Every structure is written in C-alpha cells, then in structure tokens.
Amino acid sequence: MSIVAPENLFPLPLTAFERFMLADESSDYPMVFYLQVRLKGVVDRDVMKLAVDDAFSRHPLLCCRVKKTWRGGYWIWAGDQVSEFDWDCDHWMQQEPWRQAIDLTSGIGLRVWGEQHSDHAIITMQFHHACCDGIGAAQFLEDVAIAYAWHYAKSVDQTVDLPELRPINLQLLKTRGNSDGRRVAHVSGSIFYRTYIVMKYTIRYLCQEKLPFLARSTMRQNDLQTGLGLTTIKLTRAETRGLREAAKKYNASINDLLVRELMLLSHHWNAQVVKPRRRFLSFRPQTMCVLVPTSLRGPLDAELPACNVVSYVFMARAVALMNRPDELLCTVRDEMQLVHQYQAGWLFVQAIEAMQRLPGMLRLIMLKTQNSCMSTTVLSHMGNLLNGISSRLPREGRSIQMGNLVVEDIAGIPPIRQGTSVAFSTVLVNGCLAVSIRCCAKRFSSADTLELLNTFADRLKSTASDSLVGSESPMARVNI
C-alpha cells in the first residue's frame, strides 16, 4: 500500500515550538522520545505492515521531512521514505538507533524496531519531538492497534465487532500552533498587573540556579549502559491507590505528588553523591526543578492528527524547602492549579515566538544555554495512555485484545538534554502506576540508573503506605 500525500496541506510552515524543538538538540542529545509496547503472542508481520501504513496515512507529519528556510522552515511530504519495522534484532542492535539523531532535513521523524520472542514481542517507536508529542504518539499507537485488529480479522475470515478508526481532519494541522479555538485563559486585571505576573515567573526562573542530578565520579567499563536504557518498574494496584489517597489528603493530584517526590529524590540523591557545602555571596538561589510537559489542546482538537501541541512548565523550588515536604507539596499543588486555570503553558510558547521575531536570537540563546541545566529532571505523566485503545477493543481479563495479540505493557520516556540527563515518565496500566527512567549513558551507569529508579519507587511505596495509616487534613493554601 502506497501512502498518498494529502491534498492542499503541504508545504506546511513550522510552528514556533517545532522550531524550538529543532534548535534545542544536538547529535549527542537528539530531541527524540520513545514508546515501547510489549505484546503477548507472535506478530503477523504482513498484517502489522498494513496496520502501520493505515496509521501513517492518518498522521502525515510522521511522513514528512523539514525544508529549512530563512523564515524558519516547512514540512514537506516524504511518504516515499516511510520504512517497515526493523525486525532484525542483530541489525538494529548493531546500528543502535537510540544513539543516532534523527535528521529531519533528510528523513522522516519516526523509527520503529521490534524483537520477536517465542511467546511475546517488544516494539519500540522512536519519535522526533518536532513531529508530535506524547498524545500524538498515543493516537498513532491507537490507530495501529485498531487497524491491526481489523486486518487480522479479515486475514482469517473472522467475524468480530470491532471499532472504526476515529475521525481525523488533516486540515486542522494548519492551525495546530494557534491559540484561537483553544482554551486560553487570561490573567484578569490591568495590563500592568498582567505584565507583572508574567515578569514575576520569568525573572524568578532566570535568576535561579537549577541543580542537575549528580553522577558518581567513576563508571566501571563493565557497567556501561547498553541498548536503549529504558527501565521500568510497576507499583501494585494497592500502592497506586495509596498514592491517590496521599495526594487527595492535600487536595492535590497524583501528578503534583510525583513532582514533589522527584524533587525530594533529586535532593537526597545529590546529598549522597557529594556532601553539600555552604555557599557565600551567592545571588542565585539553588533550586530543584522538574520540567512538566503540558498539553495545549482544547475541545476542538478531537480530530487533530498527531502533532506537537504541547509546552513546558518549570516547577522549581528552593533547596531549603526540601526539608518541609508537606509545604513543598502544597506549593506545587497551588502553582499547578494556576497553570491549569490560566493555561500558563502558552507563556513559554509566546516567549519563544517573541525570540524568533529577532533573526538569530533563538539560536544564540540555545548556544548560550546548551551546556546549562534547564531543569533537574523531566516528568512526563501520561495518565491512562491506553484508555483510547482499551475502551474500544475487546479485553482478555484486564489486558487489551488486539487480533491474535494481547497488549501486556506500555512504557515511554521523554528526551534527555545536556544539562538534564535524567528523565522520568509514568503511566497507569490496568490501575497500576508504571514508572520509567532513562539516564544519559555518558554520565550514569546501568547500576546507577537502576538504583535511581528503585529509590524513587521505594519513596512512592512509602508515601502510599503512610497515606493508608492515618488521615490528615489538607494544608492551607500557601504563597508560591
């Protein structure tokens, strides 16, 4: 099946955030993220190819490359470069695609490789972040799953009641970077007050010193990371329920709680690696900072194909606050409520747009900050990522039936950066919270990566356990 270019769509100008994604990467730290799916059974590769082709035809940005121009660049059609899954394990282990950047000027922004075992398969998808965000990747995965179920049923003359693919409007890609039609709340008050609010958070961020996760000084040769380095641990349903209860006691969300726990983890980890020293005459307060991606989609985006409609929120807190975890959680809760109320993610996009109006300004800032720490770590909480699939396909017990396959697990991880060399993601699978980590292979050994993940999981389990022992009253709102 050939993938046909959509009519009246390309060339498609890059959005401000897409240009930022291209500027904020290097060959050593490509702006790519991953989804990894474990399937029980043996994949019918012919059926899978048909399913993937169907998904590609519905999400054209994944079939494009970038043509750069002095005005910023365009997406242009490159459907002839769409390749099949690489099922040759020896080949992709030798090629190591996770160590190779995706050059969007010469190829498309999605690579897929798979490993088939006797009773299960593991499929890994590598997305360039300029092409789509995690929600877009989930859309692509949902289409693959439903199309596979349809094609498999047809191949074995099986009569089953399967859902249709969701409606898609490709023309909505033309307005993917606009705030029009999306929920964009504005700070009330005079223009002076609104300017004060924006400047307050901008100056606060720029004046802070973000502390990175510290790596141990030596790394044994036999403990270097191999492969993708995506490691996952899963909490039980009871432990996950305990986390919800812990957050509920403070009128917080589970995402707020995870941000708090990551700040505490980074602080305690760094204290174990290097003994803290007193600082004199320092004008930049030290903070632990968690970068939280936030979706900018609105109600009118239900038929929007996979693309990048996301922004960043930087949750930074003073090191001194790490000794007051209850207060820390409340400050995170209150700021995240403001973020949702005022759609504060747009502020970051608007700042990028302002920089891009001055030729060369964005690139200059990227060069100045490429070795700096933008945030201590990244947390991408994907929630019930499989809801779109599980609610529409048949179930086998708690697992999703996908033709002759069963979806057993899913994991994902956001990009890592020069100064942000540890990234976390969480996803709810069958009521259990799965926590994933990926660390920079140049700075963290496989043992350190596993220790970090286990330590974080232990913190979450302890918090969940404590929440089930007694009940506390939510703390009052605090200033942030």
Side-chain angles (χ1 to χ4, degrees), residues 11 54 57 61 95 109 124-125 135 176 203 236 261 276-277 313 330 365 391 425 432-433 450 473:
D54 285 350
S57 67
L61 284 192
Q95 293 292 320
T124 304
M125 291 171 279
I135 294 176
R176 69 197 184 283
I203 294 174
T236 66
E261 293 299 322
R277 298 179 179 178
V313 173
C330 290
I365 292 177
S391 63
S425 72
C432 300
L433 185 73
L450 185 59
S473 300

Side-chain angles (χ1 to χ4, degrees), residues 99-114:
R99 299 191 190 279
Q100 300 177 20
I102 294 179
D103 183 2
L104 283 177
T105 63
S106 61
I108 65 172
L110 174 60
R111 294 177 181 145
V112 186
W113 59 91

